[in-house]
Amino acid sequence: MTKAIGYIRVSTSEQALDGVSLDAQRAKITAWAVANDYELVAIHEDAGITGTSLDKRPGLQNAISQTGKGMALVAYSISRIARSTRDMLQIADQIQGKGADLVSLTEKIDTTTAAGKMVFRMLAVLSEFERDVIAERTSGALAHKKAKREVYSPVPLGFEANEGQLRPNAEEMRVVADIRSMRLAGLSLREIATCLNNKGISGKKGGKFHASTIKAVLCNQIHG
């Protein structure tokens, strides 16, 4: 009986979505193995991890490592394996180099044939294109909300949410003005954060300021 290794992944924001949960992916891979007479040796998982970096996904690394000659690495979809065409093709080449097959259940393709390999690569490119389009639309929507002063998440320092609109917060606006003045005076992001913390001024959620939060304030294009 041919052996297979399963791989499942879900990011934090997707854990509640029906159809892509870890349990759902595990069930589909198990059912595929039974239907196709494969011995499912193991299913490796990365829970609450995005697909942007291969070296930060130990589950995928273990799955690839355990997949040997004549075996198959099975995933629910291409998007579970990688989020970029480059990574996807790199993984496909690794599996091919082992003399193994790569199977994606959602797209109903595998790499056992030349046609399967071609379709796999085409879908990897299209999948990345779709994600880029969604990201572009999301960015445009947020910019539109900013321009109209509609509430978006998170609410920036200097404003507060009021009936779906962003309203200036006078006290926070003074802090924002001080931050901009210090930056114009040549202080670094870290120095500005330290100065505010030493004065006992709290951040948006009551915490301390950091260089990253100062950068976010300066990058915000909404003005009171």
Side-chain angles (χ1 to χ4, degrees):
M1 182 180 291
T2 307
K3 296 181 179 180
I5 301 295
Y7 173 68
I8 57 179
R9 180 186 65 79
V10 71
S11 62
T12 302
S13 61
E14 295 170 325
Q15 287 178 354
L17 295 181
D18 183 38
V20 296
S21 68
L22 293 176
D23 288 341
Q25 293 177 56
R26 185 179 291 106
K28 290 180 182 295
I29 291 174
T30 300
W32 175 89
V34 172
N36 291 276
D37 199 27
Y38 273 75
E39 178 188 350
L40 189 56
V41 178
I43 297 180
H44 297 279
E45 68 176 59
D46 285 317
I49 298 177
T50 61
T52 55
S53 177
L54 295 178
D55 59 358
K56 293 181 180 180
R57 289 190 284 160
L60 178 58
Q61 293 180 19
N62 291 334
I64 295 174
S65 176
Q66 195 173 356
T67 302
K69 185 176 182 179
M71 299 174 65
L73 175 59
V74 188
Y76 173 71
S77 71
I78 288 178
S79 65
R80 299 304 90 198
I81 301 174
R83 301 288 284 181
S84 73
T85 302
R86 182 183 63 181
D87 288 346
M88 186 68 257
L89 297 183
Q90 177 185 333
I91 294 170
D93 288 342
Q94 282 185 264
I95 298 301
Q96 184 178 4
K98 289 171 170 280
D101 298 317
L102 189 57
V103 178
S104 176
L105 302 184
T106 300
E107 294 82 6
K108 295 181 174 60
I109 59 174
D110 60 43
T111 59
T112 59
T113 65
K117 293 176 183 177
M118 180 189 70
V119 173
F120 196 89
R121 283 162 169 74
M122 290 175 62
L123 287 177
V125 173
L126 291 174
S127 179
E128 182 177 21
F129 172 73
E130 181 181 21
R131 289 192 297 271
D132 289 344
V133 169
I134 292 173
E136 189 176 77
R137 289 174 178 171
T138 300
S139 178
L142 289 177
H144 181 69
K145 284 181 175 291
K146 278 188 176 184
K148 296 183 65 177
R149 284 196 180 179
E150 293 181 357
V151 174
Y152 63 95
S153 181
V155 175
L157 183 70
F159 293 85
E160 56 189 24
N162 186 348
E163 297 182 350
Q165 295 289 317
L166 292 177
R167 307 297 184 189
N169 179 301
E171 184 177 348
E172 291 184 3
M173 276 295 185
R174 285 193 288 271
V175 176
V176 172
D178 288 342
I179 290 174
R180 288 174 176 157
S181 295
M182 285 187 280
R183 187 59 170 170
L184 289 174
L187 273 68
S188 69
L189 301 180
R190 187 180 299 276
E191 287 172 337
I192 295 174
T194 300
C195 181
L196 294 175
N197 292 332
N198 288 341
K199 291 181 179 180
I201 300 175
S202 300
K204 185 68 178 178
K205 296 182 179 180
K208 291 186 176 182
F209 282 94
H210 301 279
S212 59
T213 51
I214 297 300
K215 181 179 180 180
V217 171
L218 293 172
C219 289
N220 178 28
Q221 298 301 308
I222 300 178
H223 301 284

